[in-house]
Amino acid sequence: MIGHRLRIALFIVLAFSLQGSLLGGVRLAGFAPDMMLLVPIAFGIADGSERGAVVGFAAGLVADLFLQTPLGLSALTFSLVGFGVGAVQGNVIRAAGWITLLTASVGSAAGVVGFAVLGLMIGQDQLISTDLPLVAAAVALRNAPLAVPAVRLASWAVAPDRTLERSYAR
């Protein structure tokens, strides 16, 4: 069986591929979902704040390679979002389906705004515009329905390797 690190890497590659090929063309009012931002949100919900932050950093670095913003801006933003979502989700006693959707929506909106604010702090003035609230709301609404399958895939990715557990039980 493949280990959880490889499954996480496969999840990030799948999200990046979907973002570039399929979801980039699916636009509502000119806005597409941000699958790479959904990666740390899904892992934060599925496995907590630490995993959300670490996976967010990795997904952000992959996203940064193809953006015209400073390297590390997405990585920092996605780490903060993954940590925040994991911390909030860890305080929820029973996670109903609508809580996952709400958490993904709020996390997506916070990620878009956080990206712009952190960019402004390092001199990327073009990231702040009057359309920022509209962009944040549109990404939040577009990411919400994708959160359910993303969280399920993230749960699979972090699941323990059962063959390893059985080998120690012998």
Side-chain angles (χ1 to χ4, degrees):
M1 289 301 284
I2 57 176
H4 71 277
R5 288 186 181 106
L6 183 57
R7 290 189 298 244
I8 292 170
L10 286 173
F11 185 98
I12 292 171
V13 169
L14 175 67
F16 184 75
S17 299
L18 284 174
Q19 181 71 39
S21 61
L22 183 66
L23 296 177
V26 179
R27 295 187 177 274
L28 178 67
F31 301 106
D34 190 347
M35 192 66 187
M36 294 306 286
L37 177 58
L38 194 57
V39 170
I41 292 169
F43 279 94
I45 291 171
D47 201 35
S49 57
E50 187 176 327
R51 180 83 66 185
V54 171
V55 172
F57 186 79
L61 279 179
V62 170
D64 277 334
L65 293 175
F66 298 94
L67 294 175
Q68 294 179 357
T69 54
L71 183 67
L73 182 58
S74 294
L76 176 60
T77 304
F78 291 3
S79 291
L80 293 173
V81 169
F83 182 83
V85 166
V88 168
Q89 192 69 19
N91 291 327
V92 175
I93 295 172
R94 183 173 172 216
W98 66 271
I99 292 177
T100 299
L101 296 176
L102 180 66
T103 305
S105 294
V106 172
S108 295
V112 170
V113 172
F115 182 80
V117 169
L118 288 171
L120 180 67
M121 292 171 68
I122 59 170
Q124 299 294 310
D125 301 342
Q126 76 276 9
L127 297 176
I128 298 288
S129 72
T130 57
D131 291 338
L132 184 59
L134 179 63
V135 173
V139 170
L141 290 174
R142 300 292 286 161
N143 276 1
L146 297 173
V148 174
V151 170
R152 286 190 181 154
L153 278 173
S155 297
W156 166 80
V158 296
D161 194 0
R162 304 228 186 280
T163 58
L164 183 63
E165 288 177 7
R166 280 184 277 173
S167 67
Y168 286 115
R170 292 183 186 167

